[in-house]
Amino acid sequence: MKEQQATSGISVAEGNGKFTGMPGPGTAEEARVFKMLQAGFKDQFEKAFPDKLAPKTVVIIPSLTLDQEILSKVRGVVHYEERLLCMLMLLRMPRTHVVYVTSTTIDPVIVDYYLHLLPGITGYHARQRLTLLSCYDASSRSLTEKILERPRLIERIRKCILHGHSAHIAAFNVTSYERTLAVHLGIPIFGCDPDLLDLGNKSNSRKIFRECGLPMAPGSEDLRTTGDIVHALTKLKLQNPGLRKAVVKINDGFSGEGNALFSYDGMDVGHEEKWIENELKKKLKMVAEDLSCKLFLLKFEQMGGVVEAFIEGETKESPSVQCRIDPDGTCHVASTHDQMLGGEGGQVFLGAWFPAQSGYAVPIGLMGEKIAESLKQKGVLGRFSVDFISVKEKEEWRHYAIEINLRKGGTTHPLLMLQFLTNGTYQTEKGLYCTANGQVRYYFSSDNLKSEKYKGLTPHDLIDIAMMNDLHYDGTHHEGVIFHLIGALSQFGKLGVICIGSSAERAQMYHDQIISVLEKVGSQS
């Protein structure tokens, strides 16, 4: 039996696909090996990352390793693995290899669409350095779990990491499953150690905001039981008798899908706690479609959560700040966005404008920087975002920090695509994004462009429609349209877009043009 030596010094037996000498998942030994891999990442980051000609292999694992019952409520969720196809733009570096693993195969026309966007590299050259692997498994379990169940697939990934290459994993989020995969592959992850993952839950987010001296919504954290919820809702109402609504949040919810709104309408004054106890299940409105109150409360008891006042305001926005903590300890404010929210009480992420409004892009960026410094001291690595609610009061904006997301998110892939295509940077001190030649750029992005009329349109149809209607990205002028989530279009009538313009108005123009064309084509189908 032939053996191959991993970079971590752990043996993997070939032939029967079985791993030998691997520490068990979740063991202290696995954690030790993982920390050793992560400790060596700083040297790779400082030497290989700045060198565009350095031989590198990036293993992209776009797994949404999140609560599967809540995640299953998101339509076409398996196609969300396509969002990190923006990272195929790494192939613009001529000695970089990319391994991209998915649950199901990606249509070649989608891959070709992305490779066509590469600046300065032919599609043929890039294709020789790209390996696409699939689990051939469309089940609701996370991609990383599927990979771990397939030792032969892991071995194929290992063989794609060429000798002498610096290598790391780029993942959507990092949990104990991604840690196990990193140890099997013997390479680090550009992301947060799962031992620190709880720092980003709803309860600990509030504690970090308090530590940083940032304003946040009145509320209570570290709640566990239905009784805790009742008590926290009662406390909020007694503190603020005019409060109309509150938000109940599961600690590890995402995109608003783990939230529920509670209405105080009809409150029995003088018997607040008893009334809330009796009315809780009737008054709670779950944000996730088809998520029952019973299951929501069960999830809350399992994961814990918070109760917060629902922030009201005649002029109200929902900006976010995206930050990155590098292996060398440098903290960056990568972007600010104005989020477009929908669903019950405006709790579901639908899209975003970049950058955030000029009236507050700089101050919320500085708040994000404070949080990044705090998280760095706690050992956090990689990308994360902070959500805010901003209310205009007497011509002044008041910002409430809402939550920290220790992972990539809905604002990550559009920003990465813009950066890869324009080689620009976000200027925190100005709240603006400038391309390499100093031109300011804006975009609108969405993961939720959807209509029943779009169902039945295949990826081939979409590309043809885009070409016929001049819906493409112009690399000469750094403006135009880029589609993503293309694989979800035919079955779910849903896709994503990034509309890049020299002004917010031009970005909006591109978006309006897309809607007009798709509505017309969809009506003819």
Side-chain angles (χ1 to χ4, degrees), residues 173-191:
N173 65 324
V174 185
T175 71
S176 59
Y177 292 114
E178 284 73 30
R179 175 170 56 196
T180 297
L181 180 59
V183 170
H184 279 325
L185 295 176
I187 58 176
I189 303 177
F190 197 164

Side-chain angles (χ1 to χ4, degrees), residues 494-512:
K494 176 178 181 177
L495 78 161
V497 292
I498 308 169
C499 304
I500 301 171
S502 57
S503 67
E505 290 74 20
R506 284 186 65 79
Q508 179 68 59
M509 178 197 74
Y510 286 122
H511 180 258
D512 293 345

Side-chain angles (χ1 to χ4, degrees), residues 15 45 62 83 94 109 231 272 286 323 334 338 396 408 480 514 518:
F45 178 81
R83 291 194 299 182
V109 74
H231 181 71
E272 287 84 0
M286 269 51 66
C323 301
D338 276 317
E396 295 288 333
K408 293 180 174 67
I514 293 166
L518 288 178

Side-chain angles (χ1 to χ4, degrees), residues 23 33 88 208 288 290 434 436 466:
V33 173
L88 296 192
I208 290 170
D290 303 322
C434 290

Side-chain angles (χ1 to χ4, degrees), residues 85-92 114 117-118 417 420-421:
L85 284 171
C86 63
M87 298 195 76
L88 296 192
M89 297 299 104
L90 290 170
L91 294 167
R92 75 195 192 286
Y114 278 87
L117 294 168
L118 281 166
M417 182 60 82
F420 286 143
L421 293 174

Side-chain angles (χ1 to χ4, degrees), residues 73 107 156 291 330 360 476:
K73 308 302 179 185
D107 193 307
R156 289 189 195 100
L291 183 65
T330 307
Y360 51 71
T476 304

Side-chain angles (χ1 to χ4, degrees), residues 234-286:
T234 304
K235 181 181 176 182
L236 273 180
K237 185 65 173 176
L238 292 175
Q239 288 174 341
N240 181 4
L243 187 64
R244 298 191 304 143
K245 289 186 286 187
V247 189
V248 182
K249 301 178 180 179
I250 295 172
N251 266 336
D252 295 322
F254 51 91
S255 296
E257 299 288 353
N259 295 358
L261 284 176
F262 179 83
S263 170
Y264 290 103
D265 186 43
M267 167 71 73
D268 185 2
V269 179
H271 303 88
E272 287 84 0
E273 186 156 9
K274 189 65 176 177
W275 182 86
I276 292 171
E277 184 179 359
N278 291 335
E279 297 293 320
L280 180 65
K281 294 179 182 178
K282 297 176 189 175
K283 292 286 187 177
L284 267 185
K285 300 294 183 186
M286 269 51 66

